[in-house]
Amino acid sequence: MSDKFIHAVPNFSEGKREEVIEAVVDQLRDVEGVKLVGYFPDADFNRTVIELIGRPEPLKKALLDMTAKSIELIDMEEQSGDHPRIGAQDTIPIFPLKDITTEECREIAEEIGQAVYDQCEVPVYFSGENARTPEREKLSFIRKGQYEGLKEVAHTPERAPDIGPGALHPSAGAVIVSAGERPLVAYNVILGTDDLEIAKSIAKIVRGPSGGFTTVRAVGLKFSERNQVAVSMNMFDYDLTPLYRTFELIKNEAARYGVSVVASELVGVVPQEALVNSLEKYLQLEDFDRSQILENNLIGL
Amino acid sequence: MSDKFIHAVPNFSEGKREEVIEAVVDQLRDVEGVKLVGYFPDADFNRTVIELIGRPEPLKKALLDMTAKSIELIDMEEQSGDHPRIGAQDTIPIFPLKDITTEECREIAEEIGQAVYDQCEVPVYFSGENARTPEREKLSFIRKGQYEGLKEVAHTPERAPDIGPGALHPSAGAVIVSAGERPLVAYNVILGTDDLEIAKSIAKIVRGPSGGFTTVRAVGLKFSERNQVAVSMNMFDYDLTPLYRTFELIKNEAARYGVSVVASELVGVVPQEALVNSLEKYLQLEDFDRSQILENNLIGL
């Protein structure tokens, strides 16, 4: 059997109604060759993030079943929440996980996009590696105006769907499908202070737009349960900018305030490589072949 | 299907005759549920180390097939080499790898030992978790006098096999079977000097018997290909003494000589946990569940 595995992080636009969330997520349960790693509804966002892994063919089918169910149960004319979105099944991003290339994932994302339109009659925008124009590589461009704004301009060439007519689906909006090289890693570094200003200052140093790491977005947050603050990061490329580099930068910057780093935490799932490449730097490890990790030989056994 | 997996590191007493090595290793190839990760013949030692993983039942059978072949092809009356040994299939150590306890491995080692005697009529000594007496926990006690010496005293209660008569097999000697909590990790830290005395001094500081870490054995070695020296370690418990701790100690001690650490290297295989527990310390990671590592969800999929 092929040992190719894909990681998918689909997002659908319901984070409150438990029966809807469960009905959508149910499409991903007990599917041979697919594993639902976790799902994370957010009531304020009114959105659920799913972590899914699996072999390409069954994963594709599971993603289509999920999309059909989101579309059936979520009406964008009534949906509202704090997170930007353009459709019921808002995004379907996929990433290579094992023995598969980003290019193969790009092709699979094309197939998923076409199948979404063919089977559900919901128009599709391609993003990431599948973007038809440089602007569409980023979700923010595609989502400009959100569902409500996009439906007014979806007939214009600049904003029209990549598959489907120049119009959104009347209740389900559209779906954004993409392949990417690496998934986002959510990483928090917690400071030994309750001074939010310090966390905000350091976050500004760390994040790309204000002069920090191009691949990192960061905010300062209060961690009320521990009366401490944190630099909370979205790391978009753990290869270009490994975890250790942000951790050490934050430690150095915090020291300028006489503050120490008390802990860090990984939120949700993380590819093994995001851990190994940091340890490699700390231990100055040379010639470390990932197949030397015993467990990596278990996959497919 | 059960997702229990075992790691085995059998050693047999042939490291020169290629046709014998291949015939023994062949018993471990293309076995459903078992993966031969690697094998490492050493001509000076006249011994081959094997790294093997698999599900308990097929792994047990593969180990028995290997033992039968070693016994058939290796005559201890003629075998000689630099490494201490008491038999053709000298050792069969097993370790828990995934979703299995050390106690379960201990029971499986018992079954392996009994089957070796029943099927091959070669006596068995139990070591590690299976040792019948505290002295027999260590290989060095069982191996005292090696094959040649042991066969003279195998009739005495102190040295008799745990399974079998008070005598070694006339050509195959005996087999040492054991379960352990964690496998040995071989780890080298390379220094930016060619002064072997510095590596030797630091090795002495690091290793247990001379006041260092109880679970670590270390020697100073010349790395002639790079004109540098290394502290070469066998780490017997990466949980009690993680990699980072020996690395940092060596770095500190080397600095006293004005020498820096230029690299480190892991020799052979290593359990994922031996990497993750070091990174956890460096990043002060809190509440990191190993199932957050995406790839860990692939096993058995």
Side-chain angles (χ1 to χ4, degrees):
Chain A
M1 206 187 318
S2 147
D3 278 342
K4 294 177 191 284
F5 289 100
I6 289 177
H7 172 210
V9 193
N11 285 237
F12 62 91
S13 296
E14 177 62 60
K16 296 177 193 171
R17 291 179 297 163
E18 202 175 313
E19 70 286 2
V20 173
I21 296 168
E22 290 304 315
V24 174
V25 172
D26 262 350
Q27 308 303 313
L28 310 170
R29 288 189 168 108
D30 303 319
V31 180
E32 177 79 27
V34 171
K35 182 161 175 180
L36 174 64
V37 178
Y39 62 107
F40 309 93
D42 187 305
D44 294 333
F45 282 176
N46 201 11
R47 181 182 186 84
T48 297
V49 179
I50 293 168
E51 294 284 0
L52 197 67
I53 59 178
R55 299 179 187 275
E57 283 308 314
L59 186 80
K60 242 169 70 179
K61 184 175 177 313
L63 288 169
L64 288 168
D65 291 345
M66 175 197 61
T67 301
K69 191 54 84 175
S70 300
I71 286 169
E72 178 194 332
L73 299 178
I74 300 169
D75 181 354
M76 294 307 292
E77 292 291 322
E78 300 188 344
Q79 196 268 7
S80 74
D82 290 346
H83 198 290
R85 79 287 178 263
I86 63 165
Q89 180 62 53
D90 195 49
T91 59
I92 306 179
I94 66 171
F95 305 93
L97 180 55
K98 186 172 187 293
D99 291 342
I100 193 164
T101 64
T102 305
E103 173 56 22
E104 286 175 279
C105 286
R106 194 194 61 73
E107 284 165 25
I108 291 166
E110 291 290 319
E111 293 164 20
I112 292 172
Q114 192 61 53
V116 163
Y117 182 69
D118 292 346
Q119 293 174 31
C120 308
E121 293 177 15
V122 173
V124 168
Y125 291 87
F126 284 116
S127 180
E129 298 285 324
N130 299 76
R132 302 302 196 248
T133 64
E135 298 92 43
R136 294 192 182 195
E137 283 172 20
K138 297 222 155 123
L139 294 181
S140 51
F141 177 86
I142 297 173
R143 281 205 191 116
K144 212 162 28 171
Q146 296 198 47
Y147 169 73
E148 292 77 7
L150 184 56
K151 71 177 176 180
E152 306 300 331
V153 294
H155 62 281
T156 66
E158 196 202 27
R159 303 298 304 281
D162 293 310
I163 307 184
L168 300 192
H169 183 281
S171 65
V175 181
I176 306 172
V177 179
S178 64
E181 204 169 350
R182 287 180 196 92
L184 159 77
V185 171
Y187 183 48
N188 298 331
V189 178
I190 300 157
L191 307 179
T193 177
D194 62 356
D195 186 343
L196 184 59
E197 288 311 309
I198 295 178
K200 284 183 170 176
S201 303
I202 297 175
K204 198 175 157 192
I205 290 166
V206 173
R207 66 176 171 252
S210 48
F213 296 119
T214 321
T215 63
V216 177
R217 295 297 172 271
V219 293
L221 285 183
K222 255 202 175 347
F223 266 38
S224 40
E225 75 271 28
R226 46 195 298 166
N227 203 30
Q228 286 169 330
V229 297
V231 179
S232 178
M233 291 176 283
N234 280 341
M235 302 189 56
F236 289 93
D237 192 327
Y238 57 77
D239 187 54
L240 278 176
T241 315
L243 298 180
Y244 86 89
R245 199 171 292 153
T246 60
F247 177 81
E248 296 294 334
L249 176 64
I250 293 167
K251 199 155 83 172
N252 283 335
E253 294 295 331
R256 292 177 45 227
Y257 296 95
V259 167
S260 39
V261 163
V262 295
S264 77
E265 60 175 20
L266 283 159
V267 183
V269 299
V270 61
Q272 185 189 68
E273 185 57 23
L275 305 175
V276 174
N277 76 352
S278 275
L279 185 66
E280 219 167 16
K281 295 292 163 52
Y282 278 119
L283 295 182
Q284 298 172 234
L285 262 185
E286 268 187 8
D287 300 328
F288 183 61
D289 188 324
R290 300 324 187 233
S291 69
Q292 287 178 258
I293 302 174
L294 262 180
E295 285 84 349
N296 290 356
N297 296 286
L298 283 176
I299 297 166
L301 195 67
Chain B
M1 206 186 320
S2 149
D3 277 342
K4 293 175 191 283
F5 288 100
I6 289 176
H7 172 211
V9 193
N11 284 238
F12 63 90
S13 297
E14 178 61 59
K16 296 176 195 173
R17 291 179 296 163
E18 203 175 313
E19 70 286 4
V20 173
I21 295 168
E22 291 302 316
V24 175
V25 172
D26 263 350
Q27 307 305 311
L28 309 170
R29 287 189 168 109
D30 303 319
V31 180
E32 176 80 27
V34 171
K35 180 158 176 182
L36 174 65
V37 179
Y39 62 108
F40 310 94
D42 186 304
D44 294 332
F45 282 176
N46 201 11
R47 180 183 189 82
T48 297
V49 179
I50 292 168
E51 295 284 359
L52 197 67
I53 59 178
R55 299 177 187 275
E57 283 307 313
L59 186 79
K60 242 169 69 180
K61 184 173 179 312
L63 289 168
L64 287 168
D65 291 345
M66 172 197 61
T67 301
K69 191 55 81 178
S70 301
I71 286 169
E72 177 194 331
L73 300 178
I74 301 168
D75 182 355
M76 294 306 293
E77 292 292 321
E78 300 187 345
Q79 195 267 6
S80 73
D82 290 346
H83 198 289
R85 78 290 177 260
I86 64 167
Q89 180 62 52
D90 195 48
T91 59
I92 306 179
I94 65 171
F95 305 92
L97 180 55
K98 186 172 187 292
D99 291 342
I100 194 166
T101 63
T102 305
E103 173 56 23
E104 287 175 278
C105 285
R106 195 194 60 73
E107 285 165 24
I108 291 166
E110 291 291 318
E111 294 164 20
I112 293 171
Q114 192 61 53
V116 163
Y117 182 69
D118 292 347
Q119 293 174 29
C120 309
E121 292 177 15
V122 174
V124 169
Y125 291 87
F126 284 114
S127 181
E129 298 285 325
N130 299 75
R132 303 303 198 248
T133 64
E135 297 92 44
R136 293 192 182 194
E137 283 171 20
K138 297 221 155 129
L139 294 180
S140 52
F141 177 87
I142 298 172
R143 279 203 191 118
K144 211 161 31 175
Q146 296 198 46
Y147 169 74
E148 293 75 7
L150 184 57
K151 71 177 176 182
E152 305 300 331
V153 294
H155 62 282
T156 67
E158 198 201 26
R159 303 297 305 280
D162 294 310
I163 307 183
L168 299 191
H169 183 282
S171 65
V175 181
I176 306 173
V177 179
S178 64
E181 204 170 349
R182 286 178 198 92
L184 159 75
V185 170
Y187 183 48
N188 297 332
V189 177
I190 300 156
L191 307 179
T193 175
D194 63 354
D195 185 343
L196 184 59
E197 288 311 309
I198 295 177
K200 284 184 171 176
S201 303
I202 297 176
K204 199 174 156 193
I205 290 165
V206 173
R207 67 177 172 251
S210 48
F213 297 118
T214 321
T215 63
V216 176
R217 294 296 173 271
V219 292
L221 286 182
K222 257 202 174 350
F223 267 38
S224 39
E225 76 269 28
R226 46 196 295 166
N227 202 30
Q228 287 167 330
V229 297
V231 179
S232 177
M233 292 176 281
N234 279 341
M235 303 190 56
F236 289 93
D237 192 328
Y238 56 77
D239 186 55
L240 277 175
T241 315
L243 298 179
Y244 85 89
R245 200 172 293 153
T246 59
F247 177 81
E248 296 294 333
L249 175 65
I250 292 167
K251 199 154 82 171
N252 282 336
E253 295 295 331
R256 292 177 45 227
Y257 296 94
V259 167
S260 41
V261 164
V262 296
S264 76
E265 59 174 22
L266 283 159
V267 183
V269 298
V270 61
Q272 184 189 69
E273 185 56 25
L275 305 174
V276 174
N277 76 352
S278 275
L279 184 66
E280 219 166 16
K281 295 290 163 52
Y282 278 120
L283 296 181
Q284 298 172 234
L285 261 186
E286 268 187 8
D287 300 328
F288 183 61
D289 188 325
R290 301 322 187 233
S291 70
Q292 288 179 255
I293 302 173
L294 262 180
E295 286 83 349
N296 289 358
N297 296 287
L298 284 176
I299 298 166
L301 195 65

